[in-house]
Amino acid sequence: MLRTNIRFAKLDTPIKVLLVTGAAPREGKTTVAVNLAESYAFSGQKVLLVECDLRLLTFKDLFPSDPKKGLSSLISETFDTPVEKGDLGRLSMGDLMTLIDLQEKTGTLTIANHSDAYQFSFERGKLVASVWKNRPKDKRLAAVLISSGRITEEQAGEALNRAAETGQRLGFILVNMGIVSPDHLRGPIRLQIMDTLSRAFNLSEARYHFETSSHVMYERNLIDPIGFRDILTDEVPGLRIRPFLYDQIAASTIETDIKNLHVLPGGPTPPNPSEMLGSRRMAALMSMLKDAFNYDVLIIDSPPVTSVSDASILSALSDGVIMVVGAGGVNRAIIHKAVDQLKQANAPILGFVLNRMNPKEERYYYRYYYKYRDYYYKGKKSSKE
């Protein structure tokens, strides 16, 4: 077995996601990835080994599993779970928001129970407006602006009448009337958005319904500067509560005989591996694996660099790349080409593994390895000068 003790002392950030690839096929990169994962696990770290060589699935021979479950089924099936209607419970608000985002839906999500109703508008999966349908009068925007001295009751009355006639939002009308500026509205509207989201996320029993439409009406210039994306990611912890999605991901991983080592197999072979691996869904899956499952290290077994573009695509999701080179098995020009491809993708290459080395020719192989290493690091140094 390969005993690996890798230290990345020169890096500013710890390695959380490590990509293992080869310059060309049949250089033993999967063997290196598995042995590296075992070494991390033996050292006491919790490891997830992810099979991303979706064209040549080999994990099924190493780690017996359900062939219908894996990375590809999560991306193409689980992330396509319908969100049209149902009861909160099987799907949480966090699950719903995430699925609508990943499915890039446009329309309105209504969440309601016996006393409250909330509506959230999405454009291609992005939240663009929120409404608490039965918000008490003293908590509505007009009352808040009056109590803070931003507008008068007369101005509020006129603006509310226009809103009733046109169907436009009160804030948009107040800005168009020149009564307030968008800067004056951002604070109060942000608080209302937070209040609406928090109340909806805290519902224990409610029904949901998503109505798809070709577009949604919202005041883009007024709403966008508030930053729904920042609100959702940083200030609403309920968004990260995704029991359905996390259960599906956990059900697709394998707990191996080695303590601390788990495996996410590739699953069914997809028709478009490169498109799948480069999708927002793949990035979202990797983010969930990093944030919600407490793995110390994620090791990605990637296709060879020069065969397809998958390794370069996956390098964007990685903190570092290890290149496996088969001793005497591939010509130097191919190795240089592989390194150049990774450089063009700004891949953080950490180093190289010289695999299948013949001890009788050890001196030759070490000379071969150091020439290759010097080629990469010399080019890296020159690019910074």
Side-chain angles (χ1 to χ4, degrees):
M1 180 185 128
L2 172 68
R3 296 293 180 181
T4 309
N5 182 19
I6 298 179
R7 300 181 184 276
F8 304 117
K10 295 182 179 180
L11 296 180
D12 296 329
T13 57
I15 295 299
K16 180 76 174 183
V17 182
L18 185 60
L19 180 73
V20 178
T21 186
R26 296 182 295 278
E27 295 195 65
K29 51 89 182 172
T30 296
T31 300
V32 171
V34 172
N35 287 336
L36 184 60
E38 291 179 352
S39 296
Y40 272 115
F42 284 135
S43 71
Q45 299 187 69
K46 186 178 178 182
V47 184
L48 178 66
L49 178 61
V50 184
E51 182 176 30
C52 288
D53 194 345
L54 301 181
R55 292 175 176 81
L56 185 62
L57 299 167
T58 58
F59 278 26
K60 61 182 182 295
D61 300 323
L62 303 172
F63 310 100
S65 61
D66 183 346
K68 295 181 180 180
K69 289 186 177 181
L71 184 144
S72 63
S73 64
L74 287 171
I75 292 175
S76 63
E77 297 174 17
T78 300
F79 288 170
D80 267 335
T81 299
V83 296
E84 279 67 30
K85 61 181 179 179
D87 294 313
L88 287 183
R90 177 174 177 264
L91 297 181
S92 70
M93 276 292 293
D95 288 316
L96 283 172
M97 292 279 194
T98 302
L99 289 170
I100 290 170
D101 180 21
L102 294 177
Q103 294 172 24
E104 299 185 354
K105 285 185 171 293
T106 296
T108 302
L109 174 68
T110 301
I111 308 289
N113 62 11
H114 61 280
S115 60
D116 283 318
Y118 307 90
Q119 284 189 337
F120 302 95
S121 297
F122 296 84
E123 186 175 69
R124 293 189 59 80
K126 303 305 178 187
L127 181 64
V128 294
S130 65
V131 178
W132 178 8
K133 296 286 287 184
N134 50 337
R135 188 189 297 273
K137 288 185 178 180
D138 63 335
K139 293 186 177 182
R140 294 178 184 176
L141 182 60
V144 172
L145 293 175
I146 291 171
S147 64
S148 64
R150 294 289 185 187
I151 63 175
T152 65
E153 291 188 9
E154 291 75 15
Q155 290 170 329
E158 182 181 354
L160 286 169
N161 287 334
R162 291 193 184 186
E165 293 171 358
T166 64
Q168 293 176 320
R169 299 287 180 83
L170 176 64
F172 186 71
I173 291 172
L174 289 171
V175 171
N176 281 349
M177 290 174 65
I179 297 174
V180 296
S181 70
D183 288 338
H184 291 148
L185 289 178
R186 287 188 185 115
I189 292 179
R190 185 183 183 90
L191 290 175
Q192 289 201 327
I193 293 169
M194 287 297 301
D195 190 27
T196 301
L197 287 167
S198 296
R199 289 175 179 275
F201 272 97
N202 285 326
L203 289 178
S204 56
E205 294 182 1
R207 289 192 61 79
Y208 65 85
H209 171 72
F210 188 89
E211 184 176 353
T212 302
S213 58
S214 58
H215 67 281
V216 291
M217 296 296 295
Y218 71 101
E219 292 77 32
R220 186 184 305 273
N221 293 334
L222 177 65
I223 298 298
D224 279 358
I226 293 171
F228 272 96
R229 181 176 292 276
D230 294 337
I231 291 173
L232 286 176
T233 56
D234 297 336
E235 299 182 39
V236 182
L239 182 65
R240 297 183 181 275
I241 300 175
R242 306 168 175 131
F244 170 76
L245 290 176
Y246 293 160
D247 285 349
Q248 294 298 308
I249 294 171
S252 298
T253 61
I254 305 166
E255 187 173 353
T256 69
D257 294 335
I258 298 174
K259 184 180 179 181
N260 297 321
L261 177 58
H262 297 76
V263 173
L264 177 59
T269 302
N272 50 353
S274 294
E275 183 178 336
M276 176 174 284
L277 295 175
S279 67
R280 288 181 59 247
R281 294 185 176 197
M282 179 63 184
L285 175 60
M286 291 299 296
S287 178
M288 291 184 214
L289 289 171
K290 288 193 295 182
D291 297 340
F293 288 87
N294 300 315
Y295 290 111
D296 297 306
V297 184
L298 276 69
I299 297 179
I300 298 175
D301 178 32
S302 163
V305 178
T306 56
S307 299
V308 288
S309 62
D310 298 3
S312 298
I313 291 171
L314 289 167
S315 68
L317 304 176
S318 309
D319 301 314
V321 178
I322 288 181
M323 172 85 75
V324 179
V325 179
V330 62
N331 117 7
R332 192 174 301 177
I334 294 177
I335 299 174
H336 288 179
K337 180 181 177 182
V339 173
D340 288 339
Q341 285 183 219
L342 290 176
K343 282 183 181 180
Q344 290 173 10
N346 294 317
I349 303 177
L350 301 180
F352 310 95
V353 172
L354 188 61
N355 195 31
R356 296 172 178 167
M357 185 179 71
N358 186 339
K360 295 181 180 180
E361 300 177 0
E362 181 175 336
R363 181 176 300 179
Y364 163 77
Y365 285 132
Y366 272 115
R367 186 166 63 250
Y368 175 82
Y369 168 79
Y370 281 113
K371 283 184 178 180
Y372 174 43
R373 186 203 64 174
D374 291 344
Y375 164 78
Y376 167 67
Y377 283 108
K378 183 179 179 180
K380 187 175 182 180
K381 182 178 179 181
S382 299
S383 66
K384 294 182 178 179
E385 292 176 350

